[in-house]
Each structure stands twice: as structure tokens, then as C-alpha cells.
């Protein structure tokens, strides 16, 4: 792995930590506070940054199995962050989230984690 790929892998791991904290708070209390907003938004920025490092650092086409799975996970968390922001802007902070948003958060995050681990394995063994 070259320096760009190592940097991308470190940054995507920081995204995992940020997403995990944000989603854990939402799933535990079923509400949105500023920590949820801050951690999800930070995770998304880190996720996009890591993806750019991997695309630039990789000698492959950006549309490999690992790449496409990665984009789908990034899209799922992009939608999650937009939904959370929209909810807070419409209803304010510290409000109970709807069951739909609560479940979407859980499944988007679980998909992202599956892709993170499978992505790491696929990219490493290639
Ligand atoms: C969900 C998060 C991730 C996204 C969005 C993502 C995205 C990408 C993309 C678009 C590429 C370029 C296409 C390719 O070479 O396959 C790539 C390459 C790569 N990624 Fe990721 N990735 C993610 C997670 C990971 C993880 C967790 C690791 C390992 C710790 C990793 C390691 C690599 C490596 C080593 C390459 C270069 C593979 C090669 O050049 O053969 N990626 N990634």
C-alpha cells in the first residue's frame, strides 16, 4: 500500500469511529442532539475524504467491486446525514425520531460497517 492508501485507510477508520458514536447515541436514546449531528457530519466528511485518497492512491478503475460497494455505503450514510439534518431543522434538537428514521439509521449504519470490513478484506487480499 502506498502512502495515499494508508492515509485513506486511517481516515476511513476515523469515519467508522465518528459514525459509530453518532449512531450509538441516536439508537440508544431515539433522539437527535448536537452530538449526533456533529459525529455524523464529521463521519461523512471523513468518509468522502478517505474515498478520494483511495481513488487517487489506487491504480485501479474507481469502479471495482470494492469501489462500488464503498460508494453504496457512502451514499447510505450521505442520505442518513441529510435526513437527520432535515429532521433537526424541521423539528428542532432533542426530539424523538420517527420509527422510520430510527430504523433507516440502524440499517444504513450496519450496511456501512459490513462494507467497511468486507472492503478492507477485498482491498487487502487483491
Ligand atoms: C466504506 C468505506 C470505503 C470506501 C468508500 C472505499 C472506496 C475505495 C475506492 C473507490 C477505491 C478505488 C477502487 C479500487 O481500487 O478498488 C478504493 C481502493 C482501496 N481501498 Fe477502499 N474504500 C473503503 C474502505 C476501505 C477499507 C476499510 C480499507 C482497508 C483498511 C480500504 C483499502 C483500500 C485499498 C488498499 C485500496 C487500493 C486497492 C488496490 O489498489 O488494489 N478501503 N477504496
Amino acid at each position: 500500500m502506498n502512502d495515499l492508501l494508508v492515509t485513506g485507510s486511517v481516515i476511513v477508520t476515523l469515519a467508522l469511529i465518528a459514525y459509530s458514536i453518532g449512531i450509538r447515541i441516536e439508537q440508544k436514546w431515539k433522539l437527535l442532539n448536537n452530538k449526533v449531528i456533529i459525529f455524523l457530519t464529521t463521519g461523512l466528511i471523513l468518509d468522502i475524504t478517505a474515498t478520494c485518497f483511495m481513488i487517487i492512491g489506487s491504480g485501479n478503475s474507481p469502479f471495482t467491486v470494492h469501489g462500488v460497494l464503498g460508494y453504496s455505503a457512502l451514499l447510505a450514510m450521505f442520505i442518513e446525514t441529510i435526513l437527520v439534518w432535515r429532521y433537526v431543522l424541521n423539528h428542532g434538537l432533542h426530539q424523538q425520531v420517527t420509527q422510520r428514521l430510527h430504523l433507516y439509521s440502524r440499517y444504513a449504519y450496519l450496511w456501512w460497517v459490513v462494507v467497511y470490513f468486507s472492503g478492507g478484506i477485498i482491498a487487502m487480499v487483491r
Side-chain angles (χ1 to χ4, degrees):
M1 278 212 290
N2 60 41
D3 288 350
L4 288 168
L5 290 173
V6 172
T7 308
S9 303
V10 171
I11 296 175
V12 83
T13 304
L14 297 177
L16 171 68
I17 296 169
Y19 281 152
S20 301
I21 297 172
I23 295 290
R24 169 106 182 101
I25 297 170
E26 186 282 321
Q27 291 290 304
K28 187 167 181 199
W29 304 105
K30 244 183 144 184
L31 58 77
L32 302 176
N33 58 21
N34 29 12
K35 282 188 185 158
V36 175
I37 293 280
I38 290 168
F39 280 110
L40 287 185
T41 308
T42 305
L44 184 64
I45 293 167
L46 291 168
D47 197 1
I48 294 169
T49 310
T51 306
C52 294
F53 270 94
M54 288 185 198
I55 292 171
I56 299 167
S58 164
N60 302 319
S61 144
F63 299 103
T64 57
V65 172
H66 170 67
V68 172
L69 283 176
Y71 302 137
S72 74
L74 176 60
L75 179 67
M77 291 309 286
F78 179 78
I79 293 170
E80 159 71 4
T81 309
I82 297 288
L83 291 177
V84 163
W85 266 102
R86 198 179 67 171
Y87 198 85
V88 167
L89 291 175
N90 286 337
H91 300 90
L93 284 167
H94 305 289
Q95 299 295 321
Q96 289 283 304
V97 293
T98 59
Q99 186 66 9
R100 276 178 73 180
L101 182 54
H102 184 64
L103 287 179
Y104 180 83
S105 306
R106 181 181 309 170
Y107 291 121
Y109 171 72
L110 286 177
W111 175 240
W112 196 91
V113 171
V114 167
V115 170
Y116 171 89
F117 285 107
S118 70
I121 294 165
I122 292 172
M124 296 293 183
V125 298
R126 204 161 48 205

